[in-house]
């Protein structure tokens, strides 16, 4: 019972540490805490520690969490970080659109090359079809002439 009560206290701790402090130990037996950065509007670029198992799909999820940075006050710097985050997202989206456009151009070029190849093959097949029809017509005439000679 004392182990569970001390564990619940550890799960609830939230605090701030200095910049040079190492990652604090986690409550999990085999896991260590990892440093992460949150990019929400309220906590722009604010660093924290939590258990590496907190995001795992399998097994129990640890609730260890501790802020590394103090909360930034509303003001110029926090607003600048928000603007920089917005600009970065916009540039990433532009970069993604640019990459998609480049892929589209390559696909269009490949499609045009395939179209030209198919058109050439179609012309060849059309010519072969015409020659085959002529051959069949000549064969039919030969058969008719030979039939007429036999009768």
């Amino acid at each position: 019972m004392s182990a569970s009560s001390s564990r619940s206290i550890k799960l609830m701790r939230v605090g701030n540490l200095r910049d040079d402090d190492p990652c604090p130990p986690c409550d999990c037996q085999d896991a260590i805490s990892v440093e992460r950065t949150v990019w929400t509007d309220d906590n722009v670029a604010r660093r924290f520690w939590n258990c590496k198992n907190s995001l795992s799909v399998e097994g129990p999820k640890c609730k260890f969490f501790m802020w590394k940075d103090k909360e930034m006050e509303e003001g110029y710097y926090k607003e600048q970080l928000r603007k920089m985050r917005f600009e970065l997202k916009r540039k990433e989206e532009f970069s993604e659109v640019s990459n998609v456009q480049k892929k589209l151009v390559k696909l269009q070029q490949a499609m045009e090359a395939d179209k030209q190849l198919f058109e050439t093959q179609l012309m060849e097949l059309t010519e072969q079809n015409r020659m085959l029809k002529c051959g069949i017509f000549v064969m039919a005439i030969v058969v008719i002439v030979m039939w007429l000679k036999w009768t």
Side-chain angles (χ1 to χ4, degrees):
M1 184 151 170
S2 64
S4 65
S5 63
S6 66
R7 179 166 169 74
S8 63
I9 291 171
K10 287 182 184 178
L11 293 176
M12 298 298 289
R13 75 176 162 217
V14 175
N16 292 303
L17 300 175
R18 293 191 322 264
D19 197 37
D20 59 344
D21 287 335
C23 291
C26 178
D27 296 324
C28 293
Q29 293 176 347
D30 298 330
I32 59 170
S33 59
V34 291
E35 183 178 322
R36 302 180 196 270
T37 305
V38 67
W39 283 94
T40 62
D41 284 341
D42 292 335
N43 294 302
V44 181
R46 191 170 179 195
R47 297 174 297 174
F48 65 95
W49 286 291
N50 76 333
C51 176
K52 71 177 184 178
N53 291 332
S54 66
L55 302 176
S56 70
V57 177
E58 301 170 357
K61 296 193 183 214
C62 179
K63 292 182 173 45
F64 174 76
F65 177 88
M66 183 182 284
W67 286 114
K68 181 173 183 177
D69 299 327
K70 291 182 180 178
E71 185 175 4
M72 187 182 293
E73 294 179 20
E74 285 295 329
Y76 175 78
Y77 295 108
K78 194 169 187 177
E79 187 58 33
Q80 289 302 313
L81 283 171
R82 285 183 185 131
K83 286 180 182 177
M84 289 167 48
R85 177 176 153 236
F86 174 78
E87 285 297 316
L88 181 62
K89 280 188 173 185
R90 196 170 66 78
K91 287 179 181 178
E92 287 172 350
E93 289 171 0
F94 176 76
S95 177
E96 288 175 18
V97 167
S98 179
N99 289 338
V100 169
Q101 286 174 335
K102 289 176 185 175
K103 288 178 183 178
L104 179 62
V105 167
K106 286 180 182 178
L107 285 173
Q108 286 173 333
Q109 290 170 344
M111 188 174 75
E112 186 61 33
D114 286 346
K115 179 181 174 187
Q116 290 175 355
L117 177 66
F118 292 144
E119 286 175 351
T120 302
Q121 290 175 344
L122 178 63
M123 286 175 47
E124 290 173 358
L125 289 173
T126 303
E127 180 62 23
Q128 288 175 3
N129 187 24
R130 190 180 67 77
M131 295 296 287
L132 189 59
K133 285 179 181 178
C134 287
I136 291 172
F137 180 73
V138 169
M139 292 281 287
I141 291 177
V142 169
V143 168
I144 292 172
V145 168
M146 290 180 74
W147 180 75
L148 289 174
K149 276 188 177 180
W150 287 90
T151 57

